[in-house]
């Protein structure tokens, strides 16, 4: 019976060691899961920030074309006004 008890104790010790090791691995997996969750949240906010920056860049990039449009409109208006003024002046003489 002593040999049988000794074998059972050895097997029990091995099982306890294996269980401790498994618990340690589970704890590591839980920590990794939390890290992945944090990364996912940070990635979500980063994506939103990038979207905001892209919208602002689009607005800024559109400004030169808006300014150019205003300048061209002003030049055309001035030219047409000059011709109209010239025509009216010649008609009134």
């Amino acid at each position: 019976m002593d040999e049988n008890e000794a074998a059972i104790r050895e097997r029990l010790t091995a099982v306890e060691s294996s269980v401790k090791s498994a618990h340690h691995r589970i704890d590591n997996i839980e920590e990794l899961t939390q890290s992945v969750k944090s990364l996912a949240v940070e990635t979500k906010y980063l994506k939103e920030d990038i979207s905001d920056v892209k919208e602002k860049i689009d607005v800024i990039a559109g400004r030169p074309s808006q300014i150019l449009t205003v300048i061209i409109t002003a030049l055309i208006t001035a030219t047409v006004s000059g011709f109209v003024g010239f025509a009216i002046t010649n008609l009134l003489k």
Side-chain angles (χ1 to χ4, degrees):
M1 191 82 160
D2 283 334
E3 284 183 27
N4 194 17
E5 285 180 15
I8 291 174
R9 283 187 187 150
E10 285 180 32
R11 290 179 72 188
L12 184 58
T13 303
V15 168
E16 286 176 342
S17 176
S18 179
V19 168
K20 285 180 185 178
S21 177
H23 280 288
H24 182 69
R25 281 188 239 130
I26 289 171
D27 291 340
N28 287 340
I29 290 172
E30 287 175 351
E31 290 175 16
L32 287 173
T33 303
Q34 281 302 110
S35 296
V36 169
K37 183 178 178 181
S38 296
L39 285 172
V41 170
E42 289 178 23
T43 302
K44 175 185 172 189
Y45 290 125
L46 184 60
K47 182 179 177 184
E48 291 173 1
D49 290 344
I50 288 172
S51 178
D52 291 342
V53 170
K54 185 178 180 238
E55 289 175 10
K56 290 176 182 177
I57 288 173
D58 289 342
V59 168
I60 291 170
R63 284 186 182 162
S65 65
Q66 291 173 346
I67 292 171
L68 184 61
T69 303
V70 169
I71 290 172
I72 291 172
T73 303
L75 289 174
I76 291 172
T77 303
T79 304
V80 170
S81 297
F83 284 128
V84 170
F86 179 74
I88 291 175
T89 302
N90 284 335
L91 289 173
L92 293 177
K93 283 186 178 180

